[in-house]
């Protein structure tokens, strides 16, 4: 029998000259392109029938794993269920067919939807303003850091450094650097939080900002956040909060009340829009009024009475960070989600996300080692210390989970935990699904003791077995290469 992998190759090999699917003839005049525009030779696509194409892509789709297939506890990614209702709203004709070049009086509904969403996000975060332009979390970070830079520049003092905790997401140092700053790392204390004493020593008038994730990537709430904000503000520095983990705070606490000056949200995490294989996502930035003059243009303004419009007249704006108005249809899905749940629903979401993570923590803490004992919120970080003596590593555990139909959690992150296994179940999983995961994690621990080899060889039942991850990242083979078709 052929494996799926071998079958996939066949699509190119069964190609026969002249084979094709249904070919509808339109009555339009055909014209050949001339000169540089004309094709010089065959394009080398396989020539196959419709049924062969359908089966090829259906087969490929089954080789993948997504949040609609099963449990996907990828820590710090908030892979939760994306309610199908969101898609329906975003597919409504008036939204779907509204074009960014339409004059504003033709798209009042779309402009209002943007304004209403911005207002909701300000309410949820406790901030004064919001821009929907950034297309991802990292993009929101960059936008926020550019606004911080402009803020300092306008005061005649651009400053040099951004402080970032050692538990930070990798995008934080990257975006600070892109915004023209040098990054200085701050150590975490024994509880996994920012070391406030270290901060006091490091802060000075050359520091532009501190970027903090709260709750941080260990899932721990930064209890000293207000004190941290005070220390920064006393030296004229600002506080940037990476709000990708809002799933743990929404409806319960507001970053705006913790002293945060600017933050981003991940619509494709907390507000249940698909991550979409790299896009389109959305990472709105929310900020206090002292940063408003620097926000991206245009800014949606107005109300039902006056009507809605776009304001381009912001002389100190950092400019545009995205074509037109951001990924509008993605932001619309977030609006649908927020309106469907309402304030109490959003709060319940947070409680359930935190409860699910803590349930897993409680059930697995005697099996897997907990490197930090601090109370955690929406995610929990274990490591492979207990399995080490059997020669089993985090990677082996993660790969074995695939055999049981579970997507591996985030591994080897955060970097401050050796062999980290970072689990974020989210609120959208059922008790039964979470119990199954717990049972499998215990089973894998048992296998580690009794038959470690089975873990070392995992996964066993996937279209491709264990890959060389470095090669896969550095030299990905993204398409089939035949003898005459490379
Ligand atoms: C996901 C995440 C980001 C980056 O968001 P993208 O949308 O992937 O760019 C940044 N910080 C944290 C803490 C995250 O979890």
């Amino acid at each position: 029998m052929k494996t799926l992998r071998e079958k996939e190759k066949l699509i190119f090999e069964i190609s026969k000259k002249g084979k094709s699917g249904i070919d509808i003839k339109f009555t339009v005049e055909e014209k050949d392109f001339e000169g540089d525009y004309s094709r010089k030779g065959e394009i080398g696509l396989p020539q196959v029938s419709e049924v062969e194409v359908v089966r090829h892509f259906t087969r490929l789709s089954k080789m993948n794993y997504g949040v609609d297939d099963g449990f996907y506890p990828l820590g710090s990614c908030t892979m939760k269920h994306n309610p199908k209702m969101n898609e329906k709203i975003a597919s409504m004709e008036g939204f779907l067919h509204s074009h960014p070049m339409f004059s504003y009086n033709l798209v009042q509904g779309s402009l209002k939807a943007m304004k209403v969403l911005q207002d909701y996000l300000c309410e949820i975060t406790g901030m004064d303003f919001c821009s929907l332009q950034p297309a991802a979390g990292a993009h929101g970070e960059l936008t926020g850091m550019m606004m911080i830079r402009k803020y300092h520049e306008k005061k005649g003092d651009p400053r040099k450094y951004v402080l970032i905790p050692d538990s930070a997401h990798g995008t934080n140092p990257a975006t600070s650097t892109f915004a023209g700053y040098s990054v200085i790392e701050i150590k975490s204390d024994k509880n996994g939080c920012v070391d406030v004493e270290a901060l006091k020593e490091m802060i000075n008038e050359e520091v532009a900002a501190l970027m903090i994730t709260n709750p941080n990537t260990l899932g721990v709430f930064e209890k000293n956040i207000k004190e941290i904000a005070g220390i920064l503000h006393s030296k004229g520095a600002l506080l940037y909060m990476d709000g990708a983990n809002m799933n743990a705070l929404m409806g319960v606490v507001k970053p705006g009340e913790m002293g945060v000056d600017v933050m981003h949200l991940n619509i494709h995490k907390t507000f249940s829009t698909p991550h979409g294989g790299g896009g389109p996502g959305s990472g709105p930035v929310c900020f206090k009024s002292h940063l408003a003059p620097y926000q991206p243009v245009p800014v949606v303004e107005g109300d039902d009475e006056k009507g809605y419009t776009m304001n381009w007249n912001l002389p100190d704006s950092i400019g545009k960070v995205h074509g037109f108005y951001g990924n509008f249809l993605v932001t619309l899905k977030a609006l649908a989600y927020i309106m469907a749940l309402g304030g109490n629903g959003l709060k319940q979401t947070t409680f359930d996300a935190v409860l699910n993570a803590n349930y897993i923590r409680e059930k697995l803490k005697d099996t897997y080692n907990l490197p930090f004992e601090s109370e955690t919120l929406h995610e929990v970080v274990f490591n492979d210390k207990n399995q080490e003596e059997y020669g089993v590593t985090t990677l082996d555990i993660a790969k074995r989970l695939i055999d049981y139909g579970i997507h591996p959690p985030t591994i080897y992150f955060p970097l401050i935990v050796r062999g980290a296994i970072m689990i974020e179940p989210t609120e959208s999983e059922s008790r039964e699904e979470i119990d199954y995961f717990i049972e499998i994690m215990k089973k894998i621990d048992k296998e580690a003791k009794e038959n470690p080899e089975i873990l070392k060889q995992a996964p066993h039942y996937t279209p491709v077995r264990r890959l060389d991850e470095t090669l896969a990242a550095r030299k990905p083979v993204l398409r089939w290469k035949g003898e005459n078709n490379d």
Side-chain angles (χ1 to χ4, degrees):
M1 211 187 100
K2 296 251 181 255
T3 64
L4 277 176
R5 186 73 184 169
E6 284 166 276
K7 269 191 162 176
E8 179 213 351
K9 283 180 188 169
L10 281 174
I11 187 76
F12 293 90
E13 288 156 5
I14 60 177
S15 168
K16 282 214 180 97
K17 208 166 174 59
K19 250 196 199 185
S20 78
I22 299 165
D23 191 10
I24 301 171
K25 292 274 181 246
F26 290 104
T27 51
V28 287
E29 194 189 342
E30 284 186 24
K31 255 199 144 59
D32 286 331
F33 288 111
E34 286 161 19
D36 284 351
Y37 295 110
S38 69
R39 190 167 277 142
K40 300 289 181 290
E42 297 246 334
I43 51 173
L45 289 174
Q47 301 190 29
V48 285
S49 68
E50 180 174 305
V51 65
E52 286 164 335
V53 173
V54 169
R55 287 186 181 158
H56 172 66
F57 284 107
T58 306
R59 239 173 352 241
L60 286 186
S61 77
K62 288 185 193 165
M63 293 165 79
N64 219 338
Y65 187 95
V67 76
D68 287 346
D69 283 288
F71 194 39
Y72 209 131
L74 206 57
S76 205
C77 288
T78 316
M79 298 295 291
K80 62 196 208 181
H81 173 62
N82 308 132
K84 302 306 167 214
M85 178 207 58
N86 298 355
E87 304 296 325
K88 266 195 180 164
I89 301 288
S91 310
M92 285 167 67
E93 290 216 334
F95 292 129
L96 200 59
H97 299 311
S98 84
H99 191 280
M101 298 289 268
F102 280 173
S103 67
Y104 299 138
N105 63 336
L106 291 177
V107 289
Q108 286 294 298
S110 296
L111 294 181
K112 180 174 178 180
M114 294 173 75
K115 180 73 169 58
V116 171
L117 176 60
Q118 289 180 0
D119 291 347
Y120 280 143
L121 296 181
C122 286
E123 176 66 27
I124 290 167
T125 56
M127 308 301 273
D128 302 325
F129 290 92
C130 171
S131 169
L132 303 178
Q133 261 188 45
H139 196 194
E141 288 172 35
L142 179 63
T143 306
M145 292 315 288
M146 286 165 70
M147 288 165 65
I148 288 178
R149 189 171 185 92
K150 198 81 190 254
Y151 165 89
H152 287 302
E153 274 173 6
K154 279 281 153 189
K155 291 183 149 189
D157 174 22
R159 303 198 171 198
K160 281 193 189 136
Y161 303 106
V162 171
L163 307 177
I164 300 185
D166 56 5
S167 64
H169 197 271
T171 50
N172 293 183
T175 47
S176 297
T177 308
F178 258 86
Y181 290 112
S182 298
V183 169
I184 303 178
E185 189 176 274
I186 301 194
K187 294 265 167 271
S188 298
D189 63 17
K190 62 179 189 322
N191 303 314
C193 290
V194 168
D195 187 335
V196 175
E197 293 313 310
L199 172 63
K200 282 182 189 158
E201 274 168 36
M202 291 162 97
I203 187 75
N204 59 45
E205 263 136 35
E206 290 197 308
V207 173
L210 168 79
M211 279 186 108
I212 199 169
T213 303
N214 195 18
N216 63 27
T217 53
L218 290 165
V220 179
F221 188 82
E222 294 280 353
K223 287 196 177 65
N224 302 316
I225 183 88
K226 265 194 150 169
E227 188 185 353
I228 291 170
I231 296 168
L232 293 164
H233 292 156
S234 73
K235 296 283 180 195
L238 299 182
L239 179 58
Y240 184 100
M241 190 181 114
D242 180 331
N245 293 343
M246 260 321 263
N247 223 42
L249 304 184
M250 196 168 47
V252 181
V253 283
K254 300 183 179 186
E257 291 169 7
M258 304 176 201
V260 171
D261 297 286
V262 48
M263 65 181 290
H264 76 267
L265 293 164
N266 284 55
I267 291 294
H268 46 283
K269 293 181 182 170
T270 317
F271 300 97
S272 82
T273 71
H275 287 227
S282 176
V285 272
C286 301
F287 39 92
K288 291 279 177 63
S289 51
H290 52 275
L291 288 168
Y294 317 111
Q295 66 181 305
V297 279
V299 178
V300 62
E301 281 177 0
D303 55 39
D304 283 350
E305 221 159 277
K306 281 188 291 203
Y308 297 89
T309 185
M310 285 287 184
N311 179 6
W312 289 81
N313 185 21
L314 231 67
D316 290 335
S317 161
I318 57 165
K320 286 182 71 59
V321 296
H322 193 284
F324 297 108
Y325 317 120
N327 287 328
F328 171 63
L329 292 176
V330 179
T331 59
L332 206 53
K333 294 176 197 178
L335 179 61
Y337 181 72
I338 291 170
M339 292 181 80
L341 284 176
N344 286 335
L346 293 178
K347 191 177 186 171
Q348 190 63 42
T349 294
T350 302
F351 287 158
D352 289 347
V354 172
L355 178 67
N356 285 352
N358 279 278
Y359 179 68
I360 292 175
R361 176 183 161 132
E362 206 47 40
K363 292 278 185 182
L364 287 180
K365 72 175 200 276
D366 297 328
T367 313
Y368 291 91
N369 179 57
L370 262 182
F372 284 92
E373 295 276 334
S374 315
E375 276 179 37
T376 45
L377 293 178
H378 65 302
E379 54 197 6
V380 53
V381 181
F382 294 105
N383 70 6
D384 55 2
K385 193 159 168 254
N386 299 351
Q387 288 72 28
E388 214 169 46
E389 60 178 302
Y390 311 106
V392 166
T393 65
T394 288
L395 185 66
D396 303 327
I397 297 164
K399 294 294 181 197
R400 185 62 174 154
L401 277 169
I402 300 173
D403 282 336
Y404 291 107
I406 294 170
H407 193 283
T410 297
I411 55 172
Y412 300 106
F413 180 80
L415 301 175
I416 50 172
V417 175
R418 237 191 88 222
I421 305 173
M422 185 199 211
I423 298 163
E424 181 184 7
T426 81
E427 73 283 0
S428 58
E429 294 305 325
S430 66
R431 167 85 184 264
E432 289 76 13
E433 190 68 31
I434 292 177
D435 280 337
Y436 173 71
F437 171 71
I438 291 165
E439 180 198 321
I440 295 302
M441 284 295 280
K442 288 187 174 165
K443 194 162 171 180
I444 290 175
D445 170 62
K446 208 156 164 261
E447 288 176 343
K449 290 172 188 141
E450 292 167 0
N451 186 6
E453 208 40 39
I454 202 168
L455 302 189
K456 298 255 123 212
Q457 301 296 325
H460 299 265
Y461 312 122
T462 42
V464 287
R465 298 289 301 276
R466 198 177 292 206
L467 299 170
D468 180 326
E469 305 211 339
T470 314
L471 259 186
R474 296 275 174 258
K475 289 193 174 162
V477 181
L478 298 178
R479 63 184 181 88
W480 185 81
K481 287 183 182 171
E483 273 170 42
N484 307 314
N485 183 18
D486 52 359

